[in-house]
Amino acid sequence: MIQSPRLLTILFADIGGSAALYDQVGDEKAHQLVAQSLSSMKLAVQENGGEVLRTVGDSVLASFASSDSAFMGAKSIQQVHQDMPLAVRVGFHTGTVIPDGGDVYGHAVNIAARVAAFARVDEIVATVDAVKQLAAESRLFASDVDHIEVKGVPVPVAIQRMEWRAQAQSATRVSTRLDHQ
């Protein structure tokens, strides 16, 4: 059922190099690793308040009510993949979408897909529109403004890289300090 347009943050996460993986380790092992990765991504999305809308091949499409939740989900996806043999690229964008039957449609979905495709493996990239919606604390982890061309958008879309490792290291330092008191 088509609903009224809503402002959501759309996240794409994509496994990097999965095609080469099938050649390197064989179909059965590669399929097992990709399935494990997708399962981990789905769990990370759900644990951070997101909704997995669909998986296609080696990618996950998810929606979040806020940019902060999407950033937390993206960080969780990257953190879980640190201990896995596969690497992931993640991108997210905040914009108006049309929910329809458990999926979403609209230009914001296309922009989020392009942003994710621009990201390198082990990286999170967000549009400036999504970064502006983040809490001030989370905006501190945005850097490196760049611009990408998106089909159907007359001007380049501004994007920023999100430093997800720095935040994890800061949290580790804090807990270490507290443990020694």
Side-chain angles (χ1 to χ4, degrees):
M1 178 167 78
I2 297 175
Q3 300 174 15
S4 299
R6 292 182 54 198
L7 184 69
L8 291 175
T9 300
I10 305 301
L11 177 145
F12 270 94
D14 178 54
I15 300 169
S18 63
L21 180 71
Y22 281 87
D23 188 45
Q24 293 168 353
V25 301
D27 289 348
E28 190 173 327
K29 180 66 175 173
H31 177 72
Q32 179 184 23
L33 291 170
V34 168
Q36 180 184 3
S37 175
L38 290 171
S39 179
S40 296
M41 286 192 267
K42 289 178 191 177
L43 187 59
V45 165
Q46 293 164 346
E47 286 178 345
N48 287 283
E51 180 181 351
V52 175
L53 302 171
R54 67 178 176 257
T55 59
V56 179
D58 61 359
S59 301
V60 169
L61 168 64
S63 66
F64 291 84
S66 73
S67 282
D68 286 302
S69 295
F71 182 42
M72 296 301 291
K75 287 190 314 183
S76 293
I77 288 169
Q78 292 295 14
Q79 288 165 348
V80 74
H81 279 84
Q82 286 183 300
D83 298 325
M84 297 177 82
L86 297 175
V88 179
R89 63 179 55 88
V90 182
F92 63 93
H93 169 66
T94 300
T96 302
V97 297
I98 299 170
D100 183 12
D103 207 342
V104 293
Y105 299 90
H107 202 54
V109 178
N110 299 331
I111 292 172
R114 279 290 287 133
V115 170
F118 178 82
R120 295 180 291 242
V121 293
D122 297 324
E123 188 172 66
I124 300 169
V125 177
T127 62
V128 169
D129 290 340
V131 172
K132 286 178 183 176
Q133 299 294 319
L134 291 169
E137 180 180 299
S138 294
R139 283 194 308 268
L140 296 174
F141 297 95
S143 64
D144 297 339
V145 175
D146 203 344
H147 293 83
I148 60 172
E149 299 289 330
V150 176
K151 185 178 180 179
V153 178
V155 296
V157 174
I159 59 168
Q160 293 187 274
R161 287 178 171 77
M162 301 300 298
E163 303 297 335
W164 61 273
R165 286 184 183 101
Q167 192 165 12
Q169 291 167 349
S170 296
T172 301
R173 279 195 295 268
V174 169
S175 69
T176 302
R177 237 188 331 232
L178 293 175
D179 290 341
H180 294 302
Q181 290 182 344

